[in-house]
Amino acid sequence: MTAVLLRDAPARIHYAPRLRRPEAAEGRPRVVIVGAGFGGLSAARALARAPVDVTLIDKRNYHLFQPLLYQVATAGLSPADIASPIRGILAGQANARVLMGKVTGIDREGRQVLIGERRVPYDYLVIATGARHAYFGKDEWEPFAPGLKKIEDATDIRRRILLAFEQAETEPDPVERQRLLSFVIVGGGPTGVELAGAIAELSKVALARDFRSIDPRSARVILVQSGERLLPVFPPRLSEAARKSLERLGVEVRLGHPVSECGESAVRVGPDVIDTRTVIWAAGVAASPAAKWLQAEKDRADRVKVDANLNLPGDPRIFVIGDTALAVDSRGNPLPGLAPVAKQQGAYVAARIAARVTQDLDIGPFVYHHLGNLATVGRKAAVADFGFLRLQGSIAWLLWGVVHVLFLIGFRNRVAVLLDWIWAYLTFQRGSRLITGVKG
Ligand SMILES: Cc1cc2nc3c(=O)[nH]c(=O)nc-3n(C[C@H](O)[C@H](O)[C@H](O)COP(=O)(O)OP(=O)(O)OC[C@H]3O[C@@H](n4cnc5c(N)ncnc54)[C@H](O)[C@@H]3O)c2cc1C
């Protein structure tokens, strides 16, 4: 525990003399990494001791811990608890510099990354630009059903949820009031399940005594999954356990029918129309526009097809990793869009580049080591699948908590999240019940 803490506590660095970046030694390879998410950051940090100059580019100035975004969206955590400034994370790494900018293209011939008019030359390029939510061609649904991918999405969803309760409190029309107090989550994967559980607990516990005209416990939370079961990557027994835990929280789980219509005041699911003012999209993802930048082969989700070394086929100087890459395992199955995949791929491409520039060695193909899957439903309710061991209930929930705190970047964030969780556990309250961003 201590070793982890020291390495991740950038605050201590401020007392040390400011690190002077050695002049880019003539001929020292330039490694440019686009995206400071799980994959890009892992690659940059793993190159700390390599004789290369690292440039990490991101359109944001912070690294975001997406697995806890849903807790920002449901008023449990503040955005700063799950995000860390990239410059702070790499302040102690002498061979690294950080550029904030939105990449708009790649000049493969000239070996340059384009940030608008600006050009950043590279000898090796790692693209780790992640993914965005996708509506399977129904992009017109986005205004009515926001997805959850960045902090702005989370605070927008939080506003919609909390505002619905406020509006219901003064709404005279019972039909409109029930519409306001109905929340539909589309997509029964981990994010959908976690959102549904958190909204149910918010309405049934945290808000229960705070209103006078409405009873928040009467809110409907509906989770729609087009497939036959929730959490399809988990074993059926754990899918069933998650469904039962959600239903104990009062969530209505709808299986087997996709959303076919989505509008301002209702959604259609199979034969039913559900009146609602708040729909949250947790169903589809599509990769960043990296394939277009690279003019590369891609799959239906726009992921860039890479070879076994995570290189763009035919170009050993370009690597594509994480959610924006289509990498397959030894059986040809696509690797899942998960943080551990991106992190392991980041470390791998760093090792590959270091081996190339130091000993001109080939370190063999990438192999993903899957440690397991975790998903939480709510208080003392989660499921965990480690293959040889499958857990549910409180023990899985504790494990889920420990793993998420450990993987958070930054000592401050770990302590902040832990304190927020302990407080929420003891008081049944939420630490960030703020309605922000209301116009006027
Ligand atoms: C709500 C939610 C919950 C999740 N929960 C889990 C979970 O519990 N467990 C798990 O393993 N995985 C989870 N995931 C998936 C996990 O977050 C991703 O698999 C992981 O983030 C992929 O890492 P990445 O490095 O490929 O991309 P990301 O972490 O998304 O990072 C991409 C980075 O690229 C930057 N970027 C994008 N485009 C540009 C551009 N044009 N110019 C400059 N910078 C750019 C972005 O700002 C971002 O910082 C979750 C995802 C979401 C959205």
Side-chain angles (χ1 to χ4, degrees):
M1 179 77 173
T2 316
V4 173
L5 291 174
L6 281 172
R7 187 179 67 240
D8 281 336
R12 293 170 187 263
I13 292 171
H14 292 307
Y15 306 119
R18 199 166 69 76
L19 277 169
R20 288 228 160 280
R21 206 173 101 80
E23 288 318 309
E26 197 48 46
R28 218 155 91 125
R30 296 158 298 186
V31 179
V32 175
I33 302 172
V34 184
F38 286 99
L41 198 58
S42 161
R45 295 171 105 181
L47 284 166
R49 291 198 179 80
V52 297
D53 288 321
V54 177
T55 300
L56 179 58
I57 306 172
D58 201 292
K59 62 183 175 183
R60 303 184 294 217
N61 82 322
Y62 55 85
H63 166 80
L64 178 61
F65 189 80
Q66 295 173 34
L68 289 179
L69 260 179
Y70 85 97
Q71 296 215 358
V72 174
T74 53
L77 294 175
S78 291
D81 295 339
I82 63 166
S84 303
I86 303 164
R87 285 189 188 288
I89 300 169
L90 293 182
Q93 188 170 328
N95 72 345
R97 71 174 174 149
V98 174
L99 287 182
M100 183 177 168
K102 184 170 185 182
V103 168
T104 49
I106 308 287
D107 171 359
R108 285 180 58 186
E109 214 160 300
R111 287 201 201 143
Q112 294 176 321
V113 171
L114 314 184
I115 306 175
E117 296 307 307
R118 180 169 185 174
R119 290 172 169 263
V120 183
Y122 66 82
D123 297 301
Y124 292 94
L125 174 61
V126 180
I127 298 191
T129 41
R132 60 197 192 282
H133 35 269
Y135 294 81
F136 308 119
K138 302 271 182 187
D139 295 349
E140 69 276 15
W141 290 356
E142 182 153 11
F144 312 120
L148 184 59
K149 191 68 192 162
K150 48 189 198 294
I151 284 183
E152 294 80 0
D153 299 334
T155 50
D156 174 34
I157 291 170
R158 181 181 69 186
R159 179 178 55 255
R160 290 174 188 232
I161 296 171
L162 296 178
L163 215 44
F165 285 99
E166 294 297 333
Q167 287 162 346
E169 175 76 349
T170 56
E171 176 54 55
D173 171 11
V175 175
E176 179 57 21
R177 204 163 43 227
Q178 190 52 56
R179 192 177 280 135
L180 286 162
L181 292 177
S182 300
F183 303 91
V184 176
I185 299 99
V186 184
T191 302
V193 165
E194 290 166 351
L195 275 167
I199 297 172
E201 284 185 340
L202 180 69
S203 59
K204 306 239 179 302
V205 186
L207 301 178
R209 295 176 310 136
D210 292 19
F211 290 83
R212 300 292 171 262
S213 314
I214 59 167
D215 179 357
R217 289 166 298 187
S218 67
R220 290 177 71 198
V221 180
I222 303 124
L223 178 58
V224 179
Q225 165 70 334
S226 57
E228 293 310 319
R229 63 189 177 91
L230 298 177
L231 304 175
V233 297
F234 285 74
R237 180 170 67 78
L238 293 182
S239 301
E240 197 47 22
R243 186 180 66 77
K244 287 199 178 117
S245 298
L246 282 172
E247 289 180 344
R248 267 195 300 277
L249 281 172
V251 175
E252 298 167 40
V253 178
R254 304 269 182 123
L255 301 173
H257 290 289
V259 166
S260 53
E261 288 169 42
C262 178
E264 203 176 346
S265 61
V267 292
R268 176 179 288 281
V269 179
D272 303 325
V273 171
I274 303 171
D275 283 343
T276 175
R277 291 282 182 205
T278 310
V279 183
I280 305 167
W281 191 262
V285 288
S288 73
K292 207 170 84 211
W293 301 337
L294 296 165
Q295 289 151 358
E297 213 188 326
K298 60 179 183 170
D299 72 351
R300 277 186 318 137
D302 291 345
R303 292 179 296 182
V304 178
K305 292 190 176 173
V306 293
D307 66 19
N309 304 324
L310 306 181
N311 278 125
L312 192 63
D315 194 333
R317 290 177 176 278
I318 299 184
F319 297 88
V320 186
I321 63 171
D323 284 8
T324 214
L326 176 68
V328 296
D329 64 18
S330 55
R331 293 202 211 100
N333 304 318
L335 294 179
L338 292 174
V341 174
K343 286 176 86 170
Q344 289 180 28
Q345 290 180 332
Y348 168 80
V349 297
R352 202 173 167 78
I353 292 169
R356 285 284 303 277
V357 298
T358 53
Q359 303 140 35
D360 199 19
L361 266 183
D362 180 346
I363 60 168
F366 172 72
V367 178
Y368 172 53
H369 300 284
H370 186 60
L371 305 174
N373 286 321
L374 291 158
T376 188
V377 175
R379 195 184 173 87
K380 293 198 261 188
V383 289
D385 172 30
F386 301 106
F388 65 94
L389 179 66
R390 283 146 186 192
L391 303 167
Q392 59 191 80
S394 308
I395 183 81
W397 180 71
L398 274 176
L399 207 57
W400 181 93
V402 169
V403 167
H404 282 69
V405 167
L406 279 182
F407 279 118
L408 266 169
I409 292 209
F411 181 55
R412 179 225 161 259
N413 286 12
R414 289 195 192 109
V415 172
V417 167
L418 214 48
L419 290 177
D420 268 331
W421 283 355
I422 293 168
W423 186 79
Y425 185 79
L426 296 174
T427 66
F428 294 87
Q429 284 306 311
R430 299 286 170 96
S432 306
R433 249 176 70 190
L434 313 178
I435 300 178
T436 53
V438 177
K439 299 210 170 41

